[in-house]
Amino acid sequence: EDKVVQSPLSLVVHEGDTVTLNCSYEVTNFRSLLWYKQEKKAPTFLFMLTSSGIEKKSGRLSSILDKKELFSILNITATQTGDSAVYLCAVEARVETSYDKVIFGPGTSLSVIP
Amino acid sequence: GAGVSQTPSNKVTEKGKYVELRCDPISGHTALYWYRQSLGQGPEFLIYFQGTGAADDSGLPNDRFFAVRPEGSVSTLKIQRTERGDSAVYLCASSWTGNTEAFFGQGTRLTVV
């Protein structure tokens, strides 16, 4: 059965700290790995990773994928209170030629305190 | 529209009642997804539409759940004889095709009392 596991499930840090969020997966017909930030209700897209070893970067956030070991990490440097959110990892698995199914992990709840 | 719109944003209903949740996808997006998210968990896939047809409904938990998309745009998720365990946030997402980036709506928080 396809699954996505995230750790830790929750994390509390102080402003300025650096955090690393982990995601491991087991899926058939892997297509890509996605990271989302979820505040309140709607997840917002952060990164899509398809190739191993290539770091994606956006400001203080970065992510990398290891397709051999089946995991990804999301790094946030110099955390701010606005980074407080649930970070969701998801994996796209090819089901049919025109359809990729997205399987989400449980999320990591990050709280950044002043 | 500018983004995926879901209505209502919150719905409180009594156990046993019927509810309908609406999703307006981004204009032109042919793929539409429904997810359910319970507290402390990631979104759980329910159903995927490509155009008007349900291409994958394997995530619907039982026959009390049904979804339609009659004209290939707006979709309605219907839940019959609601149970307290149905309480969750129901998220809708749309994309240009079934394998491009999906954009999420703000969700409908359903509470069954």
Side-chain angles (χ1 to χ4, degrees):
Chain A
E1 184 183 342
D2 295 337
K3 64 178 180 180
V4 178
V5 177
Q6 292 186 247
S7 64
L9 294 181
S10 67
L11 190 57
V12 180
V13 300
H14 288 94
E15 268 192 316
D17 288 350
T18 293
V19 298
T20 298
L21 310 183
N22 304 292
C23 176
S24 62
Y25 61 91
E26 289 180 31
V27 297
T28 305
N29 297 323
F30 173 88
R31 287 271 295 167
S32 64
L33 187 141
L34 310 165
W35 283 98
Y36 287 87
K37 179 181 181 181
Q38 186 176 28
E39 300 169 278
K40 296 179 183 178
K41 286 183 189 173
T44 53
F45 173 81
L46 294 175
F47 297 112
M48 174 186 280
L49 302 153
T50 55
S51 301
S52 275
I54 299 174
E55 185 183 53
K56 291 276 185 95
K57 202 168 168 63
S58 176
R60 295 176 294 103
L61 276 67
S62 64
S63 183
I64 198 160
L65 172 68
D66 185 327
K67 288 168 74 173
K68 184 180 175 189
E69 299 298 328
L70 308 182
F71 79 89
S72 174
I73 58 171
L74 175 68
N75 278 319
I76 309 175
T77 59
T79 51
Q80 302 172 357
T81 55
D83 295 328
S84 297
V86 173
Y87 289 84
L88 294 166
C89 175
V91 173
E92 284 187 314
R94 174 55 53 92
V95 176
E96 297 172 5
T97 54
S98 63
Y99 170 42
D100 293 336
K101 192 167 189 172
V102 178
I103 304 119
F104 282 87
T108 293
S109 176
L110 174 66
S111 297
V112 181
I113 54 178
Chain B
V4 179
S5 174
Q6 291 188 247
T7 55
S9 55
N10 286 282
K11 175 73 177 176
V12 180
T13 191
E14 291 180 343
K15 180 173 177 289
K17 298 288 189 183
Y18 167 84
V19 295
E20 289 189 353
L21 312 180
R22 177 186 168 109
C23 173
D24 272 277
I26 293 172
S27 179
H29 280 192
T30 60
L32 185 146
Y33 310 81
W34 282 99
Y35 291 87
R36 177 170 70 173
Q37 188 173 24
S38 301
L39 194 64
Q41 297 182 24
E44 171 196 358
F45 170 79
L46 294 177
I47 188 169
Y48 157 67
F49 286 93
Q50 181 59 250
T52 60
D56 184 350
D57 63 358
S58 62
L60 295 177
N62 52 59
D63 61 6
R64 296 186 298 106
F65 288 75
F66 190 71
V68 295
R69 195 185 185 199
E71 297 177 358
S73 178
V74 171
S75 176
T76 305
L77 178 65
K78 309 180 180 194
I79 311 174
Q80 298 176 319
R81 304 184 302 280
T82 50
E83 299 177 357
R84 292 199 179 88
D86 299 334
S87 297
V89 174
Y90 289 81
L91 292 165
C92 176
S94 71
S95 64
W96 286 109
T97 66
N99 46 25
T100 56
E101 181 189 343
F103 296 85
F104 282 84
Q106 291 294 317
T108 294
R109 184 180 301 280
L110 175 67
T111 304
V112 182
V113 298

